[in-house]
Amino acid sequence: MAKTMYAMGTMTAAEAWRDIRSLRAEPTGHLRATLDSDLRRRNEFHMALEQAQQQFLASQQIGYESRPLNLFYGLSQAGRALAAGATALGPDTGCPWEASGHGIKFQDGASDELWRTKTKLETSKRDLFSRVSIATGSPHSFVSVEFGALVNQLVDYTMTFREAEAFPRPLHDVRVYGSATFPVDVEVEVPGYQAGSDMTGDDVRLALAPYPALAPFAVPAENREVRWSHNQGYCLLSVPNRDCFVDGSHGSLTLKGATRYRGSSVLLPSLEGESSPLRPLMTWWLVLHALSILARYTPSRWMRTLSIEQSSIASKVEFLLDTAIDAVPELLVDELKLLQD
């Protein structure tokens, strides 16, 4: 389903789950040390991942009507495994690894209202959302977030549904070659740019404000004229020094704060009140939680949401439920590998 970004995913769901099983069989580094130190954590890690895999495999065999239940509870079990294997949680950290309660509340909406319906944080010292957020280094202090803002952070979604939806979307990563001389000008996509528009420096700063990775860039001040690239929709900004970058592939440098999403480096917007973006796995967490709440507690509304005849977002919701089957296991592989480092 992906359209460019090298067809998005680098692996199928089957390949991702095989990688996870291989990692379970031979954990290394910090993950192995954590699991070896506590039999309860080890047992939780393995059984939760086994349940997660079974839930995701089951989701492929059923229709959209019930699929959110398998997908979300599969992901939540995978989250329990991440918490069990994380060095950031446990008795030596002051943060318990065991979880109780979701820590999030979706105020169920219906059909076309779904995109503006909010998920609110109701975190405690032990809820699962904050435990997994700590394990993955994802922010978890925002107050609430609209469903539309979440789906517009998913690169798969924004490549397929390209029309603007009034929410910040992922931007292509900013790269330079290792031989660059600093300060250096770089091309940055300007969200909301329209051909022929007369955007000022203030307009550009406002458009780029949701992207914390772009903070070191110099944007023209006090309405000075924007330097536009020959590539339409991109402006030229100045990066002061190499400290803004890390080593990338093939001799290139990639911007600090960029996020790896299914094999591609992208710039993600942060939520209001957060200094960094959600980890992609946690964005999927909130999306699938919302859909599972609709399916489980308001089945008649869920039926209308899925109706191609009655709902303008039906195809978009189907897309999310199809894409999660491959995207979530691949992102889970990435997070599990980070636990080993």
Side-chain angles (χ1 to χ4, degrees):
M1 278 181 277
K3 302 182 177 172
T4 71
M5 294 280 277
Y6 301 102
M8 195 74 271
T10 59
M11 60 177 66
T12 65
E15 291 168 336
W17 288 114
R18 177 49 56 197
D19 275 8
I20 292 169
R21 296 189 74 81
S22 296
L23 184 147
R24 288 175 55 194
E26 296 183 277
T28 62
H30 293 298
L31 175 60
R32 179 173 182 173
T34 300
L35 298 180
D36 286 348
S37 69
D38 188 329
L39 181 60
R40 289 177 60 247
R41 294 182 77 153
R42 183 181 183 87
N43 289 341
E44 184 101 349
F45 177 83
H46 285 291
M47 181 52 72
L49 281 177
E50 188 67 37
Q51 291 174 332
Q53 183 174 358
Q54 291 183 19
Q55 290 285 353
F56 268 78
L57 292 177
S59 73
Q60 300 178 42
Q61 309 302 319
I62 60 176
Y64 300 122
E65 293 79 6
S66 298
R67 187 178 297 175
L69 305 178
N70 294 95
L71 290 174
F72 175 68
Y73 284 102
L75 177 53
S76 67
Q77 292 308 95
R80 293 183 185 279
L82 289 170
T87 58
L89 297 170
D92 296 334
T93 67
C95 296
W97 64 270
E98 293 175 297
S100 176
H102 289 305
I104 48 180
K105 181 179 178 63
F106 180 70
Q107 311 224 322
D108 51 1
S111 199
D112 293 355
E113 300 172 3
L114 174 59
W115 256 235
R116 289 294 180 180
T117 306
K118 292 184 177 182
T119 289
K120 295 185 177 181
L121 254 62
E122 295 184 346
T123 57
S124 64
K125 292 183 178 180
R126 302 189 71 97
D127 68 273
L128 186 57
F129 182 79
S130 62
R131 297 309 89 193
V132 184
S133 295
I134 293 171
T136 59
S138 186
H140 56 286
S141 59
F142 58 92
V143 176
S144 64
V145 57
E146 290 177 308
F147 185 84
L150 294 169
V151 297
N152 276 276
Q153 291 202 16
L154 301 175
V155 182
D156 334 66
Y157 177 85
T158 59
M159 286 195 306
T160 299
F161 299 98
R162 296 179 181 271
E163 68 277 11
E165 293 185 354
F167 299 101
R169 291 184 155 201
L171 302 180
H172 288 286
D173 187 13
V174 175
R175 291 173 178 263
V176 299
Y177 288 105
S179 58
T181 301
F182 291 90
V184 64
D185 287 340
V186 295
E187 284 190 336
V188 176
E189 181 182 357
V190 179
Y193 173 84
Q194 294 181 356
S197 64
D198 185 22
M199 294 186 76
T200 67
D202 285 342
D203 295 329
V204 172
R205 276 196 302 279
L206 184 62
L208 299 182
Y211 303 88
L214 296 177
F217 289 54
V219 181
E222 297 179 0
N223 291 322
R224 285 167 46 200
E225 184 178 348
V226 177
R227 295 184 300 145
W228 293 103
S229 166
H230 64 278
N231 292 315
Q232 186 169 292
Y234 287 75
C235 71
L236 295 174
L237 300 181
S238 179
V239 182
N241 53 58
R242 195 192 184 285
D243 292 342
C244 299
F245 291 86
V246 295
D247 291 332
S249 57
H250 307 295
S252 67
L253 303 176
T254 185
L255 186 64
K256 283 183 179 178
T259 300
R260 198 76 176 163
Y261 187 96
R262 303 191 70 191
S264 296
S265 187
V266 296
L267 305 182
L268 295 179
S270 61
L271 302 182
E272 185 176 354
E274 298 288 5
S275 60
S276 61
L278 291 178
R279 295 290 295 165
L281 188 72
M282 303 314 293
T283 300
W284 273 108
W285 188 291
L286 295 172
V287 167
L288 293 177
H289 173 263
L291 297 181
S292 73
I293 292 297
L294 275 178
R296 182 176 182 181
Y297 295 109
T298 59
S300 60
R301 291 183 177 182
W302 180 236
M303 179 178 67
R304 291 195 299 273
T305 300
L306 290 177
S307 172
I308 294 292
E309 300 172 19
Q310 301 177 52
S311 171
S312 63
I313 62 171
S315 179
K316 295 177 178 180
V317 172
E318 290 177 351
F319 174 85
L320 293 170
L321 295 175
D322 285 338
T323 303
I325 291 173
D326 287 313
V328 172
E330 185 173 348
L331 295 170
L332 181 57
V333 170
D334 291 341
E335 297 296 351
L336 286 168
K337 287 181 176 178
L338 288 175
L339 290 186
Q340 297 184 120
D341 296 341

